[in-house]
């Protein structure tokens, strides 16, 4: 079976390894004697200049790049990155080497330095040890011992033994050499499959269900060891002049932003593939939200690629302590001034170079003069296409590098602290220092030495002791765990639940249920509680033990009737029941339970959850309970408004009672009431009464509510001009925005899920406000096809009868194909005639026309608050 998405297309046939002898091939720059234009690139620093050095056919689909001591440029050309069937390029990836015969810094020709490469990813040059290459399955060293410009020695240093087939950007990715003469390598999440990486001496590291990681080995490929974990797909890995190690990490499906991350030994950066591609799970974090996980140094735009310390360039002193990062999808390169943040650093990106839609920068490297070289993929197409460019950026006034001259740090030196000193060093509260200390403490101490920490009167030390014990083989006993579950510190409770889950301590399951009934589990921890119970089920434990296939596919079902029992239990709070309701496995068969709860619920959160449950029960009449909520002035306005919005879909109308709600002087209720009335046929007297009330109360109702009524005489159709929507600032009413999102007319909940409710066809939006800016949210709705995240690219399929179908992901088999439908399930088609990538987004155009511009602004406000 072959899973295909725009970001994950794998050829059904493996290319045979080419054992042909590498030969020197010369490529001449195509525009002989004519300067190449800057192709619409904008530099935001007037002291810099940019020059196009080469383009296709001299350089095609370039990924990695390195520059040697003689300033020769090595470019890794990709030709095996899911090439189309009619691709006319080479069968294998190439490493090309520039030849600058007249010394003017512009290559006159390119020779092939190495051939017969599959799935190449990155390059790194070392003065003493030659050229290093990463492919998705390994790390290689190339030498040119006879100095003829062609590699005559190739040695594999690291091999990914399993999985044998993985998407390029989910395997081995970046590499860097530290001043300690260790080779540091980044690995992607391998799709959640079991993985094993082996060095030349037989040393191995392995995992299953974890995220991507950073590991290191000696320069001869020996002594493999893991350094850090918790990444999605860390594309590039680089040291800065100070000695800090950074990665650029791409974000999962529904959680962002992309990240610039500083790496420390033992660092956990939050992502775990066992919990799926969304990145949203109570056991996952992205910016240090969970205790024991570390925050990123800077947020990055979509599809970050290579980075480099600006002090390696000739850009000048003003770029000291800055990182430069290529942002592929956004056609730019950013510079990030990094300021001290405890023992780490933090910064905000600013665009330095902005290209047009044909600028897709990938790799970065500098020569001996500090000129910065950029490889350019050119087209926004992931499969190989034969285009490519090479750029050079230089200072107009500075002619040499401005190397870092401050004090150096070495995060990766051998730790010689005693157990006693390590325990003492747990007292400071710097998260990066604590991560390093816990890492080495877990290597040297056992349960006996660490138990006094979890029994300490100091909550900080209790937490640090518990976090350290995650990596210790021996388990805490039941008595200690029960004490920690009752801890007054919420972080300790949360991490105790996770400890029980990760360790698979099944004997604790009945005690967890007791703790929930006795209200010892706070509502804020309910999601963590549920995840813990799932971890303790036999199918999950057995699946993790067998390590067969993608870890995210291992069953994590709750015990039978588990949610029903919670909803029926009078000892459990309504707030917890509201959080449990989305996980009810069958709403239709629990119709009576939902109706009973809806009739008796007094908590606004439970009322809203029950109204959403009603939508999942076809043919049910819950109008009595909905009326009771909508028109009861003792209930929360937002719950009443949600109930009224649900009543608007009923054939029975309550015009007089809704008109009465207008006088309650609550903006959310007034909006919901006017929305209801505007969609209802009103007699002249009622309409005149509302008009009179609006005229007298114009300054007391929200602008959004007024805009609803103002459009009633236009058949409810807002203006078609997108400009009125494009100016949304996200300063509206979030609660009204929630009603807009949940209105069935807008179709938002058909495809998108928030906090357990909604569809699965599109990205989950529970954390979208932390991933996207206001302008990005606006653009995503108004122009959904302008920027499509690769994992959400649509596919079409033409079946055997000639009917066209569309879906989000496709599984292609020998004689049939499966296409994901809007319900998140797969439809099977035997012998399809054709299939391919859709040019437009699956998200329909024109959704803004279902709302007024002010409603749209409220919607953007609501989405921006989801963090």
């Amino acid at each position: 079976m072959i899973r295909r998405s725009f970001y994950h297309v794998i050829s059904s046939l493996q290319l045979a390894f080419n054992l042909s002898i590498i030969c020197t091939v010369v490529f001449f720059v195509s525009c002989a004697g004519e300067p190449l234009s800057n192709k619409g690139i904008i530099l935001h620093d007037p002291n810099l200049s940019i020059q196009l050095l080469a383009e296709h056919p001299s350089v095609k689909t370039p990924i990695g790049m390195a520059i040697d001591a003689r300033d020769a440029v090595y470019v890794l050309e990709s030709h095996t990155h899911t090439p189309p069937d009619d691709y006319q390029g080479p069968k294998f990836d190439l490493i090309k080497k520039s030849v600058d015969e007249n010394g003017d810094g512009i290559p006159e020709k390119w020779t092939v330095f190495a051939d017969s490469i599959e799935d190449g990813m990155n390059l790194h040059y070392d003065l003493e040890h030659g050229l290093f290459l990463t492919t998705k399955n390994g790390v290689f060293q190339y030498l040119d011992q006879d100095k003829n410009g062609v590699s005559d020695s190739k040695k594999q240093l690291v091999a990914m033994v399993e999985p044998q087939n993985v998407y390029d950007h989910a395997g081995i990715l970046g590499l860097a050499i530290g001043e300690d003469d260790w080779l540091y390598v980044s690995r992607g999440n391998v799709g959640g499959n079991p993985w094993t990486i082996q060095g030349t001496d037989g040393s191995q590291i392995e995992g299953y269900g974890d995220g991507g990681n950073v590991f290191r080995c000696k320069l001869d490929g020996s002594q493999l060891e893991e350094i850090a974990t918790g990444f999605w797909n860390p594309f590039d890995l680089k040291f800065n002049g100070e000695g800090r190690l950074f990665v650029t990490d791409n974000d999962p499906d529904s959680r962002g932003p992309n990240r610039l991350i500083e790496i420390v030994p033992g660092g956990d950066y939050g992502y775990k593939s066992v919990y799926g591609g969304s990145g949203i799970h109570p056991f996952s974090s992205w910016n240090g939200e969970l205790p024991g996980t570390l925050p990123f140094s800077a947020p990055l735009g979509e599809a970050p690629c290579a980075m480099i310390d600006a002090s390696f360039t000739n850009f000048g002193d003003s770029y000291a302590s800055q990182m430069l990062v290529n942002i592929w999808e956004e056609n730019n390169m950013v510079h990030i001034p990094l300021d001290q943040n405890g023992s780490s650093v933090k910064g905000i990106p600013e665009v330095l170079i902005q290209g047009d839609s044909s600028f897709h920068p990938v790799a970065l490297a500098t020569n001996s003069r500090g000129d910065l070289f950029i490889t350019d993929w050119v087209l926004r197409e992931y499969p190989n296409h034969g285009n490519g460019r090479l750029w050079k950026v230089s200072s107009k006034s500075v002619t040499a590098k401005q190397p870092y001259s401050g004090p150096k740090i070495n995060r990766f030196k051998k730790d010689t602290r005693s157990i006693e000193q390590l325990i003492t060093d747990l007292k400071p509260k710097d998260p990066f220092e604590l991560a390093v200390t816990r890492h080495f403490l877990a290597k040297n101490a056992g349960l006996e030495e660490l138990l006094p920490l979890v029994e300490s009167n100091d909550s900080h030390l209790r937490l640090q002791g518990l976090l350290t014990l995650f990596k210790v083989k021996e388990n805490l006993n039941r008595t200690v765990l029960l004490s920690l579950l009752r801890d007054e510190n919420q972080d300790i409770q949360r991490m105790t639940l996770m400890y029980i889950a990760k360790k698979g301590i099944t004997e604790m399951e009945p005690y967890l249920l007791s703790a929930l009934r006795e209200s010892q589990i706070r509502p804020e921890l309910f999601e963590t509680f549920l995840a813990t119970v799932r971890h303790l089920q036999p199918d999950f434990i057995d699946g993790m033990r067998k390590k067969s296939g993608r870890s995210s596919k291992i069953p994590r079902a709750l015990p039978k009737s588990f949610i029903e029992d919670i909803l029926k239990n009078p000892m459990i709070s309504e707030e917890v029941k509201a959080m449990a309701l989305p996980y009810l496995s069958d709403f239709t068969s629990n119709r009576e339970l939902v109706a009973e709860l809806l009739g008796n619920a007094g908590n606004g959160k439970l009322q809203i959850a029950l109204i959403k449950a009603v939508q999942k029960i076809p043919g049910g009449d819950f109008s009595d309970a909905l009326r009771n909520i909508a028109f009861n002035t003792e209930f929360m306005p937002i719950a009443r408004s949600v109930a009224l919005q649900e009543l608007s879909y009923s054939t029975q109308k309550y015009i007089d009672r809704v008109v009465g709600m207008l006088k309650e002087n609550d903006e959310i209720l007034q909006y919901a009431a006017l929305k209801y009335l505007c969609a209802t046929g009103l007699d002249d007297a009622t309409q005149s009464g509302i008009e009179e009330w609006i005229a007298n109360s114009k300054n007391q109702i929200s602008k959004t509510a007024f805009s609803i009524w103002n459009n009633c005489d236009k058949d409810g159709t807002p203006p078609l001009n997108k400009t009125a929507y494009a100016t949304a600032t996200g300063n509206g009413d979030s609660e009204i925005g929630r009603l807009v999102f949940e209105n069935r007319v807008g179709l938002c909940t058909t495809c998108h899920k928030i906090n357990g409710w909604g569809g699965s066809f599109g990205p989950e939006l529970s954390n979208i406000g932390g991933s996207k800016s206001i302008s990005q949210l606006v653009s995503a709705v108004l122009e959904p096809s302008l920027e499509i995240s690769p994992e959400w690219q649509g596919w079409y399929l033409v079946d055997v009868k000639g009917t066209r179908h569309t879906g989000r992901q496709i599984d292609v088999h020998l004689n049939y194909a499966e296409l994901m439908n809007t319900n998140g399930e797969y439809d099977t088609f035997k012998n399809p005639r054709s299939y391919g990538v859709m040019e437009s987004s699956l998200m329909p155009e024109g959704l803004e026309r279902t709302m007024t511009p002010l409603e749209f602004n409220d919607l953007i406000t609501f989405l921006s608050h989801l963090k």
Side-chain angles (χ1 to χ4, degrees):
M1 182 183 72
I2 303 163
R3 172 144 296 176
R4 297 175 185 252
S5 72
F6 191 58
Y7 196 60
H8 189 171
V9 187
I10 303 171
S11 172
S12 59
L13 296 176
Q14 292 295 311
L15 293 173
F17 184 71
N18 185 359
L19 298 178
S20 62
I21 299 174
I22 298 173
C23 62
T24 301
V25 182
V26 179
F27 299 84
F28 291 88
V29 177
S30 59
C31 49
E34 184 177 333
L36 301 173
S37 73
N38 63 12
K39 303 290 184 180
I41 303 247
I42 298 173
L43 292 172
H44 290 277
D45 183 346
N47 294 315
L48 301 180
S49 64
I50 188 166
Q51 181 180 13
L52 182 56
L53 298 182
E55 62 180 335
H56 42 272
S58 300
V59 175
K60 299 179 180 180
T61 47
I63 304 182
M65 177 174 53
I67 300 177
D68 69 17
R70 295 176 177 271
D71 286 345
V73 181
Y74 298 80
V75 170
L76 173 62
E77 279 193 352
S78 173
H79 298 284
T80 59
H81 191 285
T82 62
D85 293 339
D86 58 352
Y87 184 60
Q88 300 299 311
K91 296 296 183 183
F92 295 92
D93 298 344
L94 312 172
I95 299 176
K96 287 183 178 178
K97 182 179 179 181
S98 70
V99 178
D100 179 10
E101 294 177 331
N102 61 9
D104 64 353
I106 301 176
E108 283 79 36
K109 61 184 179 181
W110 294 82
T111 63
V112 173
F113 178 78
D115 197 350
S116 301
I117 299 166
E118 289 189 83
D119 305 309
M121 292 305 306
N122 227 317
L123 294 176
H124 181 88
Y125 176 80
D126 181 78
L127 180 62
E128 296 183 13
H129 301 92
L131 191 66
F132 293 83
L133 162 76
T134 56
T135 70
K136 70 177 184 182
N137 294 316
V139 180
F140 301 84
Q141 180 186 30
Y142 288 86
L143 297 174
D144 177 11
Q145 295 171 323
D146 59 10
K147 310 298 182 185
N148 70 342
V150 179
S151 171
D152 46 32
S153 172
K154 174 185 175 182
K155 178 183 179 182
Q156 184 161 8
L157 305 177
V158 172
M160 188 159 71
V161 179
E162 62 170 344
Q164 295 183 354
N165 195 5
V166 64
Y167 175 60
D168 293 4
H169 291 186
I172 291 175
L173 295 165
L175 75 162
I177 296 177
E179 293 188 0
D180 53 7
D181 282 338
W182 283 77
L183 183 65
Y184 293 78
V185 183
S186 61
R187 172 192 62 83
N189 63 58
V190 298
N193 290 295
W195 61 271
T196 302
I197 295 176
Q198 183 172 294
T200 54
D201 60 348
S203 57
Q204 288 188 344
I205 54 174
E206 59 184 12
Y208 184 53
D210 54 349
N213 71 349
V214 171
F215 62 92
R216 72 175 185 174
C217 62
K218 287 294 189 178
L219 290 176
D220 62 359
S222 63
Q223 300 181 44
L224 275 179
E225 61 180 22
E226 184 176 81
I227 295 295
T229 188
F231 310 105
W232 175 255
N233 286 329
F235 185 89
D236 197 22
L237 180 75
K238 288 290 186 298
F239 283 95
N240 73 350
E242 189 183 3
R244 298 181 188 274
L245 182 61
F246 293 92
V247 299
T248 54
D249 192 23
N250 286 265
D251 60 356
D253 296 353
S254 302
R255 192 166 190 174
N258 297 279
R259 312 182 284 182
L260 176 70
I261 298 172
E262 184 187 356
I263 306 301
V264 297
D268 182 347
Y269 297 87
Y271 175 74
K272 302 290 182 288
S273 60
V274 66
Y275 305 124
S278 74
I280 299 175
H281 188 274
F283 289 4
S284 296
S285 70
W286 195 246
N287 191 23
E289 297 89 353
L290 284 177
T293 63
L294 295 177
F296 53 72
S297 294
L300 297 175
E302 188 64 32
C305 295
M307 65 182 151
I308 196 168
D309 185 346
S311 70
F312 299 158
T313 72
N314 56 23
F315 293 0
D317 292 339
S318 62
Y319 286 87
S321 301
Q322 296 196 24
M323 294 295 289
L324 307 174
V325 184
N326 283 337
I327 310 298
W328 190 93
E329 178 66 38
E330 297 178 14
N331 317 110
N332 63 35
M333 185 178 77
V334 298
H335 65 116
I336 309 171
L338 294 174
D339 298 318
Q340 200 71 31
N341 184 40
S343 69
S344 187
V345 291
K346 203 166 187 68
I348 298 296
E350 301 172 14
V351 174
L352 180 61
I353 301 174
Q354 182 64 58
D356 59 16
S357 60
S358 67
F359 181 63
H360 288 89
V362 184
L364 292 169
T366 56
N367 62 14
S368 62
R369 296 181 294 276
D371 299 320
L372 179 67
F373 291 71
I374 306 172
T375 64
D376 181 357
W377 191 262
V378 180
L379 299 184
R380 191 193 178 277
E381 295 179 11
Y382 287 87
N384 297 122
H385 48 68
N387 293 272
R389 296 188 184 121
L390 178 67
W391 302 90
K392 182 176 74 171
V393 183
S394 307
S395 170
K396 294 178 180 178
S397 56
V398 182
T399 58
K401 292 184 179 182
Q402 306 291 313
Y404 174 81
S405 58
K408 297 266 189 174
I409 64 171
N410 184 359
R411 297 276 205 185
F412 305 99
K413 62 185 178 182
K414 182 177 180 181
D415 194 289
T416 58
R417 289 175 288 178
S418 65
I419 292 176
E420 292 76 15
Q421 184 60 53
L422 287 165
I423 290 175
T424 300
D425 289 346
L426 287 175
K427 293 179 180 178
K429 297 186 178 181
D430 181 277
F432 287 83
E433 295 291 351
L434 286 172
V436 175
T437 299
R438 290 194 305 266
H439 173 68
F440 289 110
L441 185 57
K443 284 178 173 287
N444 295 288
L447 180 61
E448 184 177 348
E449 291 96 340
L450 297 174
L451 189 57
L453 285 172
V454 297
E455 295 177 337
S456 169
N457 292 326
D458 186 332
S459 61
H460 171 74
L461 289 179
R462 289 200 303 277
L463 179 59
Q464 296 307 311
L466 178 59
L467 293 172
T468 305
L469 283 165
F470 271 73
K471 298 181 179 180
V472 174
K473 186 175 182 180
E474 302 161 281
N475 292 343
L476 290 167
N477 64 41
R478 183 179 64 196
T479 302
V480 175
L481 290 173
L482 287 172
S483 176
L484 292 171
L485 278 176
R486 294 190 292 268
D487 200 287
E488 61 185 16
N489 184 293
Q490 183 172 302
D491 282 341
I492 291 175
Q493 282 191 308
R494 185 187 306 278
M495 299 316 295
T496 301
L497 288 167
M498 289 181 61
Y499 178 91
I500 292 168
K502 295 293 184 71
K503 294 280 190 173
I505 307 175
T506 55
E507 66 173 290
M508 292 300 299
E509 185 174 350
Y511 297 98
L512 297 178
L513 299 175
S514 297
L516 182 69
R517 287 192 294 268
E518 295 167 11
S519 300
Q520 294 174 357
I521 304 295
R522 297 175 172 91
E524 299 87 348
L525 297 178
F526 182 72
E527 299 277 356
T528 306
F529 164 82
L530 277 188
T532 300
V533 174
R534 294 179 193 275
H535 267 251
L536 299 179
Q537 302 314 302
D539 286 347
F540 181 79
I541 292 174
D542 189 52
M544 289 297 291
R545 179 182 58 81
K546 290 181 178 178
K547 298 182 180 180
S548 56
R550 290 175 180 252
S551 54
S552 60
K553 300 298 183 183
I554 296 174
R556 287 196 298 276
L558 292 165
K560 187 177 180 181
S561 302
F562 186 82
I563 297 298
E564 290 91 327
D565 291 343
I566 289 176
L567 296 173
K568 293 175 182 178
N569 194 318
M571 301 297 294
I572 295 176
S573 72
E574 288 195 339
E575 189 171 355
V576 168
K577 290 179 179 179
M579 301 183 74
L581 199 55
Y583 302 99
L584 191 63
S585 57
D586 186 348
F587 286 89
T588 301
S589 63
N590 284 283
R591 181 194 306 263
E592 293 182 3
L593 174 60
V594 171
E596 180 183 352
L597 290 169
L598 187 63
N600 297 318
N603 178 278
K605 292 181 179 179
L606 179 58
Q607 290 170 339
I608 292 171
L610 287 164
I611 294 168
K612 293 176 181 178
V614 164
Q615 299 171 5
K616 293 180 172 289
I617 302 175
D621 183 8
F622 299 91
S623 56
D624 289 345
L626 290 170
R627 283 198 308 272
N628 179 56
I629 295 173
F631 303 124
N632 190 328
T633 57
E634 296 182 1
F635 291 151
M636 293 170 53
I638 183 61
R640 296 176 62 195
S641 299
V642 172
L644 182 59
Q645 184 161 276
E646 186 63 23
L647 282 172
S648 70
Y649 307 123
S650 169
T651 56
Q652 189 173 355
K653 300 303 176 185
Y654 310 93
I655 295 174
D656 291 342
R657 300 186 72 177
V658 175
V659 169
M661 295 174 73
L662 292 174
K663 302 174 183 179
E664 292 190 40
N665 200 29
D666 183 276
E667 289 187 352
I668 298 171
L669 285 175
Q670 290 169 348
Y671 164 80
L674 287 173
K675 188 81 171 176
Y676 180 99
L677 294 167
C678 190
T680 306
L682 302 176
D683 58 42
D684 292 342
T686 302
Q687 184 159 334
S688 296
I690 296 172
E691 293 280 5
E692 181 179 353
W693 175 82
I694 289 178
N696 294 330
S697 310
K698 189 172 181 180
N699 296 326
Q700 300 175 22
I701 65 175
S702 72
K703 292 181 179 179
T704 304
F706 183 76
S707 75
I708 293 300
W709 187 256
N710 204 34
N711 275 280
C712 274
D713 58 354
K714 302 172 186 175
D715 298 324
T717 303
L720 299 180
N721 187 356
K722 286 190 177 183
T723 305
Y725 298 90
T727 56
T729 57
N731 63 346
D733 190 309
S734 180
E735 295 286 28
I736 292 179
R738 176 203 285 205
L739 294 174
V740 176
F741 181 86
E742 294 175 357
N743 191 320
R744 297 185 197 178
V745 176
L747 303 177
C748 300
T749 57
T750 303
C751 296
H752 299 288
K753 183 176 292 186
I754 292 177
N755 297 328
W757 296 104
S760 301
F761 193 61
E764 183 169 345
L765 303 181
S766 300
N767 296 87
I768 191 66
S771 306
K772 302 295 183 184
S773 67
I774 296 294
S775 61
Q776 288 174 316
L777 291 171
V778 170
S779 177
V781 181
L782 298 185
E783 300 180 275
S785 298
L786 183 63
E787 180 181 316
I788 306 171
S789 294
E791 60 272 22
W792 298 103
Q793 180 70 51
W795 287 78
Y796 71 86
L797 178 146
V798 179
D799 64 24
V800 68
K801 295 181 179 180
T803 304
R804 181 184 170 101
H805 307 267
T806 58
R808 183 170 69 81
Q809 199 174 56
I810 191 167
D811 283 357
V812 180
H813 305 257
L814 185 60
N815 298 314
Y816 68 97
E818 297 173 295
L819 188 68
M820 182 187 289
N821 60 32
T822 55
N823 296 323
E825 300 173 350
Y826 283 90
D827 294 325
T828 301
F829 300 90
K830 293 184 178 180
N831 301 311
R833 292 186 182 181
S834 62
Y835 56 85
V837 174
M838 293 175 58
E839 294 183 2
S840 59
S841 171
L842 288 166
M843 183 170 168
E845 298 270 358
L847 289 178
E848 74 278 359
R849 293 199 291 270
T850 65
M851 61 195 83
T852 69
L854 288 172
E855 283 182 294
F856 181 73
N857 187 48
D858 292 335
L859 171 65
I860 297 301
T861 303
F862 168 67
L863 294 174
S864 70
H865 289 178
L866 296 173
K867 298 178 181 179

